[in-house]
Amino acid sequence: MRAHWTEISTAALRHNLRAYRRRLGRRAPPAICAVVKANAYGHGLLDCARVFAAERVPWFAVATVEQGAALRAAGLRQRVLVLGAYDRADAAEMARLGLTATVWDFTQLELLRQRARRGGALTVHVKIDTGMGRLGIEPEAAARLAAAVRATPGLRLEAMYSHLRSADDDDPATRAQLRLLLATVRPIAPPFWHLANSAAAWRFPASRGGLVRVGLGLYGYGPGRQAAAALRPALSWKARIIAIRELPAGRRVGYGGEFVTRRRSRIAVLASGYADGYSRRLWESRGHVLVRGRRAPIAGRVSMDLTSVDVTDIPGAQVGEVAVLLGRQGRQTLTAGHLAAWCGTIPYEILCAIAARVPRRLI
């Protein structure tokens, strides 16, 4: 009996992709780059990539060369943009696998140049810092870096791009970043540029360029009410009740004994804990799970492999039943947004934190 797992809805993934395609329009829409880094935001790299590939997504974005290699080993031939860092060996691997490299400084360019001297063409996207203050060449140095890429045999400058710092909000900085990117790339004239992430692709058409990098939106979480209504969360997280304790009033439960029963109580023990990514902060914020379509409050600190919940007010709850940590049961729904609010974080962290040891089941 599987005691703990996630379910990934193929139908929801396809629905979300098609929602973005409708949003982008039919008249010369930008290409969609499905961002599948971080194990597809916790949803399963290869399973999700195969679903998107079947829907003819032309691009994937990953954080590491290793992730790109996994896509290639699975037989996926889409274009793959590596967003993160790499070393000399990675540069050779990118050339061998036909991955596209991000370059944001001259040190990286030298790694690629050394590879290019030994043969093997590499396509390059130059990243510009337009206000994120993280990765990217300064705008005033972008032309020099682009020229150096173009001057290197075996390297091909295909695009220039940047990353928005606050696309989820109506922040004037978003428009300022777009203006700066356009002012920087126009004299350089790369084949195309890109800027939009999930939020900007949905809300800010001017930022789309020739490519939109859609991440969290594909998994069902969008910016604003309109996007939220149009998208469907793809992941459900479930655990079975593996024990039920009948405890008297005044009994302490869990590490530190912070939860104390106020009456005779039924405490269900679930086969999931913080080693699975179910945060200890959920107890501190008085979170709950769903049992029989009703809310079961977390009872005491979340343990490494186990979580206790109070099912006193849920008649008939028994060992073997499924509790929903994230997802829908009956008329009740728990989203990554709910868990994020309880934990004082964002849905990204909730989803990406689900441990690799938790089986993913594509349904």
Side-chain angles (χ1 to χ4, degrees):
M1 178 182 69
R2 180 169 289 176
H4 184 207
W5 68 97
T6 63
E7 295 174 354
I8 315 302
S9 169
T10 302
L13 294 175
R14 289 175 175 157
H15 170 88
N16 297 333
L17 174 60
R18 292 168 185 175
Y20 265 92
R21 282 181 167 152
R22 288 192 297 271
R23 189 72 176 178
L24 296 175
R26 294 184 178 182
R27 186 177 178 180
I32 290 180
C33 176
V35 183
V36 292
K37 64 181 182 177
N39 198 26
Y41 293 57
H43 292 65
L45 170 65
L46 296 182
D47 281 341
C48 291
R50 289 187 181 106
V51 171
F52 299 142
E55 292 291 313
R56 301 182 183 276
V57 165
W59 280 84
F60 292 120
V62 296
T64 67
V65 175
E66 181 181 23
Q67 292 164 2
L71 295 176
R72 290 289 185 254
L76 297 171
R77 307 264 55 94
Q78 279 74 12
R79 299 290 306 279
V80 178
L81 174 62
V82 179
L83 301 170
Y86 45 85
D87 59 19
R88 188 174 289 105
D90 288 331
E93 186 75 347
M94 283 192 288
R96 185 181 73 82
L97 296 171
L99 309 182
T100 298
T102 292
V103 171
W104 60 75
D105 62 26
F106 286 92
T107 300
Q108 285 183 300
L109 177 58
E110 184 57 32
L111 293 174
L112 300 184
R113 181 180 283 131
Q114 291 174 17
R115 171 59 200 169
R117 290 193 190 113
R118 297 193 295 274
L122 264 170
T123 302
V124 170
H125 288 201
V126 169
K127 186 170 187 179
I128 303 166
D129 180 10
T130 58
M132 187 73 168
R134 200 175 58 178
L135 296 179
I137 192 80
E138 291 297 318
E140 56 269 23
R144 190 161 58 93
L145 182 57
V149 171
R150 283 172 164 162
T152 303
L155 298 186
R156 182 174 72 93
L157 177 65
E158 181 179 43
M160 304 184 80
Y161 76 101
S162 190
H163 191 69
L164 293 167
R165 74 183 186 208
S166 51
D168 288 356
D169 306 314
D170 293 322
D171 190 332
T174 297
R175 297 184 185 278
Q177 285 189 259
L178 174 60
R179 288 194 297 269
L180 181 54
L181 178 65
L182 293 178
T184 303
V185 303
R186 280 183 185 130
I188 301 169
F192 68 92
W193 57 269
H194 51 104
L195 177 64
N197 55 10
S198 292
W202 190 273
R203 301 175 60 183
F204 191 25
S207 71
R208 291 170 182 165
L211 184 76
V212 291
R213 308 184 305 270
V214 187
L216 195 65
L218 291 179
Y219 308 104
Y221 294 88
R225 292 182 179 178
Q226 186 181 41
L231 303 176
R232 299 176 185 170
L235 182 145
S236 297
W237 191 0
K238 301 179 179 182
R240 292 191 187 277
I241 297 174
I242 61 172
I244 290 184
R245 303 294 311 282
E246 302 277 354
L247 301 178
R251 177 66 66 86
R252 295 184 180 273
V253 177
Y255 287 112
E258 295 177 0
F259 178 87
V260 182
T261 57
R262 296 182 178 179
R263 55 182 173 166
R264 186 167 185 81
S265 301
R266 300 182 79 230
I267 304 298
V269 182
L270 309 181
S272 179
Y274 63 75
D276 302 297
Y278 197 66
S279 176
R280 294 176 79 248
R281 288 173 289 177
L282 291 164
W283 152 247
E284 297 166 4
S285 57
R286 302 300 188 263
H288 62 263
V289 305
L290 302 178
V291 175
R292 295 199 161 197
R294 298 176 65 177
R295 299 178 182 182
I298 296 172
R301 294 182 192 173
V302 175
S303 302
M304 182 180 291
D305 306 297
L306 303 170
T307 299
S308 296
V309 298
D310 189 345
V311 294
T312 308
D313 294 324
I314 305 177
Q318 58 190 318
V319 171
E321 285 196 58
V322 174
V324 171
L325 312 182
L326 194 162
R328 184 176 182 85
Q329 193 179 60
R331 297 182 178 180
Q332 295 287 331
T333 301
L334 288 174
T335 68
H338 291 117
L339 272 66
W342 291 334
C343 292
T345 185
I346 55 177
Y348 295 81
E349 183 179 0
I350 297 298
L351 296 168
C352 292
I354 300 174
R357 78 178 193 174
V358 181
R360 271 72 169 170
R361 179 191 297 170
L362 201 64
I363 60 172

